């Protein structure tokens, strides 16, 4: 394994994030990387983490692996800070940026398991899966679970909703189905009937899978 510094990890994470958003504007990417340090690109090329050809940056397999892991750790840390420690969304990025460099693979997978192998960070960016996710069984001890894993009669607090379609998300939010609220699950067949405050609505199972809750202790 090639030695890597914190700055290099940061830069590879940034390249990953641009690629994910399909942004190919070379000058914009380079500009962002130079904010970390002016010589970072040469350094990444020298280490064999990236290749630059015709004004495009490609991650090499070793660079790809580091970028994947740093992104995974960053976004899981965000979920942890946001859902469990209830730190607000505007403040989590900086702390997550500290965590991403220090979490070991074991700790990262434990956090992932604890949170129920989340697929998206609080900003709705995808969390790269770890070994724990691919071989995840039903983790009964998870603190955060999706609605379809609860039983009729259960009560839990809404942690987050991972719906990417804004229309559906706004519909839920406008009904008062929002993070922090206590949700009562009345029935699961033929549809999930939930009650939050005075609002009672029925959701189909596919929809229910996108609502994540913190088990009340
Ligand atoms: Zn960082
Ligand atoms: Zn995020
Ligand atoms: Zn996992």
């Amino acid at each position: 394994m090639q030695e890597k510094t914190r700055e290099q990890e940061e830069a590879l994470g940034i390249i990953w994030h641009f690629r994910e958003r399909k942004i190919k504007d070379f000058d914009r990417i380079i500009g962002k990387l130079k904010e970390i340090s002016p010589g970072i690109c040469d350094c990444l090329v020298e280490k064999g983490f990236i290749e630059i050809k015709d004004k495009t940056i490609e991650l090499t397999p070793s660079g790809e692996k580091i970028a994947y892991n740093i992104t995974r750790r960053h976004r899981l840390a965000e979920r942890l800070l946001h859902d469990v420690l209830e730190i607000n969304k505007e403040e989590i990025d900086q702390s997550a940026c500290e965590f991403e460099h220090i979490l070991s693979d074991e700790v990262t997978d434990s956090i992932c398991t604890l949170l129920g192998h989340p697929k998206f960070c609080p900003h709705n960016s995808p969390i790269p899966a770890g070994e724990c996710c691919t071989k995840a069984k039903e983790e009964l001890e998870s603190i955060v679970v999706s609605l379809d894993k609860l039983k009729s009669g259960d009560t839990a607090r809404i942690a987050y909703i991972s719906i990417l379609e804004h229309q559906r998300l706004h519909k839920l939010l406008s009904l008062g189905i929002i993070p922090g609220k206590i949700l009562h699950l009345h029935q699961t067949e033929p549809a999930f009937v939930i009650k939050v405050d005075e609002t009672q609505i029925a959701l189909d199972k596919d929809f229910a899978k996108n609502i994540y809750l913190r088990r009340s202790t």
Side-chain angles (χ1 to χ4, degrees):
M1 190 70 188
Q2 274 272 33
E3 279 292 304
K4 57 189 191 297
T5 66
R6 187 187 167 111
E7 280 186 349
Q8 290 159 9
E9 287 186 324
E10 212 76 74
L12 293 166
I14 287 171
I15 295 168
W16 173 282
H17 194 38
F18 275 116
R19 188 183 66 183
E20 186 173 65
R21 287 174 293 163
K22 302 196 166 47
I23 296 170
K24 294 190 174 132
D25 182 342
F26 185 74
D27 296 328
R28 181 169 162 200
I29 300 170
I30 294 292
K32 192 82 192 162
L33 295 175
K34 285 192 171 153
E35 284 173 20
I36 299 176
S37 87
I40 192 80
C41 289
D42 296 339
C43 178
L44 292 175
V45 172
E46 223 165 87
K47 288 267 186 172
F49 294 148
I50 60 169
E51 280 170 8
I52 300 181
K53 269 185 245 154
D54 306 326
K55 285 206 151 200
T56 48
I57 299 175
E58 297 281 356
L59 293 165
T60 64
S62 60
E64 176 88 23
K65 195 170 172 208
I66 298 167
Y68 186 99
N69 287 327
I70 201 79
T71 304
R72 171 167 164 75
R73 292 198 294 267
H74 183 94
R75 293 178 183 168
L76 277 172
E78 286 184 335
R79 277 256 74 102
L80 180 74
L81 294 163
H82 182 264
D83 303 346
V84 179
L85 305 178
E86 301 183 312
I87 291 165
N88 78 47
K89 229 189 256 188
E90 289 67 43
E91 290 164 32
I92 57 179
D93 191 56
Q94 207 183 348
S95 311
C97 189
E98 298 296 317
F99 276 119
E100 70 193 11
H101 308 286
I102 54 175
L103 297 176
S104 67
D105 288 349
E106 280 90 356
V107 174
T108 304
D109 282 1
S110 307
I111 293 172
C112 190
T113 301
L114 180 82
L115 297 175
H117 310 283
K119 297 208 163 46
F120 295 93
C121 82
H123 312 95
N124 265 333
S125 297
I127 301 175
E131 246 174 69
C132 61
C133 311
T134 37
K135 63 180 180 204
K137 300 172 265 15
E138 301 293 285
E139 297 286 349
L140 292 173
E141 67 272 43
S142 292
I143 291 184
V144 178
V145 291
S146 54
L147 179 57
D148 61 302
K149 303 271 165 32
L150 296 186
K151 297 190 294 293
S152 312
D154 281 354
T155 292
R157 193 134 59 99
I158 302 171
Y160 64 98
I161 300 167
S162 79
I163 296 170
L164 290 171
E165 301 152 53
H166 282 252
Q167 250 183 336
R168 294 190 102 184
L169 183 60
H170 283 292
K171 172 117 197 288
L172 280 185
L173 299 179
S174 68
L175 289 167
I177 317 294
I178 51 177
K181 290 274 189 177
I182 299 287
L183 176 152
H184 303 276
L185 179 59
H186 287 308
Q187 62 178 66
T188 57
E189 294 290 340
F192 282 74
V193 176
I194 60 167
K195 193 170 179 208
V196 175
D197 291 336
E198 293 312 308
T199 309
Q200 182 164 313
I201 57 165
L203 308 166
D204 61 45
K205 187 169 182 175
D206 278 341
F207 202 83
K209 281 183 189 160
N210 296 305
I211 298 176
Y212 289 82
L213 305 115
R214 260 183 90 179
R215 286 184 199 276
S216 341
T217 39

